[in-house]
Amino acid sequence: MTPACKLLDQQKIAYRKHEYEHDPNNHNFGLEAVEKLGLTLEETFKTLLVTDGKNHYVAVLPIAYQLNLKKATSALGCKKLAMAEIKDAERLTGYLVGGISPLGQKKRLKTVIDDSAQQFEKMYVSGGKRGLDISLAPNDLSKVLNADFAEIRDLTG
């Protein structure tokens, strides 16, 4: 039971666990989940941490896309953002890269979810460890995280 699952249980949010055997040699964690769980790139979301140099923020977007830092900056109300260092992401969330869930992090950080999530009945995010994804309604994820939806994916590439 990960902190992500505990949080959803406490909040009485409906979700489902999807476990798979993580290959320790595979470092493309999102694609591994898609392949092993039979999902699409658009419905499977990654959790990225960004920073403005002072504060850290969470961006949740489909693994099919890169994060558009300018769009994320605007959505989060910052002046400029950069990707957070891996060690900072792991320290702040309490999770290892490849298993960082937007849920149940050590410290609740301001979060934005890509608006493409709203087209799905359920979306897939990391459950808090490599080899575990959870599916839940996008609006439930937004509600529990107090997160807004905004277009933060890069549509150019």
Side-chain angles (χ1 to χ4, degrees):
M1 184 69 90
T2 65
C5 295
K6 286 179 187 167
L7 176 64
L8 292 172
D9 287 342
Q10 287 169 350
Q11 300 280 325
K12 297 186 180 2
I13 302 286
Y15 72 98
R16 205 166 139 227
K17 291 190 234 180
H18 306 272
E19 295 187 72
Y20 58 92
E21 189 67 39
H22 167 63
D23 175 357
N25 296 316
N26 189 338
H27 297 290
N28 198 328
F29 306 106
L31 278 179
E32 182 183 31
V34 165
E35 290 166 6
K36 293 192 173 175
L37 296 174
L39 305 173
T40 68
L41 295 171
E42 290 76 22
E43 69 186 330
T44 310
F45 286 70
K46 57 188 169 186
T47 304
L48 301 177
L49 264 72
V50 293
T51 182
D52 63 3
K54 218 171 26 180
N55 298 301
H56 285 80
Y57 306 90
V58 176
V60 180
L61 68 153
I63 66 165
Y65 296 94
Q66 296 295 315
L67 177 64
N68 183 308
L69 284 170
K70 282 187 178 168
K71 290 178 182 178
T73 298
S74 175
L76 291 163
C78 300
K79 287 195 186 329
K80 187 171 180 165
L81 288 174
M83 295 303 298
E85 296 288 330
I86 289 174
K87 65 179 179 14
D88 292 333
E90 291 181 339
R91 178 180 51 80
L92 289 166
T93 64
Y95 296 122
L96 293 175
V97 165
I100 294 180
S101 177
L103 298 154
Q105 297 180 357
K106 272 195 207 172
K107 182 180 180 196
R108 167 105 24 118
L109 301 171
K110 186 172 181 181
T111 300
V112 63
I113 303 167
D114 189 74
D115 62 0
S116 67
Q118 294 175 295
Q119 69 184 301
F120 299 109
E121 192 175 304
K122 62 184 173 185
M123 62 189 292
Y124 294 80
V125 297
S126 174
K129 66 179 184 179
R130 295 169 184 167
L132 174 65
D133 268 35
I134 52 178
S135 59
L136 73 167
N139 285 336
D140 286 342
L141 180 65
S142 170
K143 185 173 87 178
V144 83
L145 294 175
N146 195 25
D148 292 325
F149 290 101
E151 183 182 292
I152 57 170
R153 65 198 182 283
D154 191 344
L155 300 174
T156 62

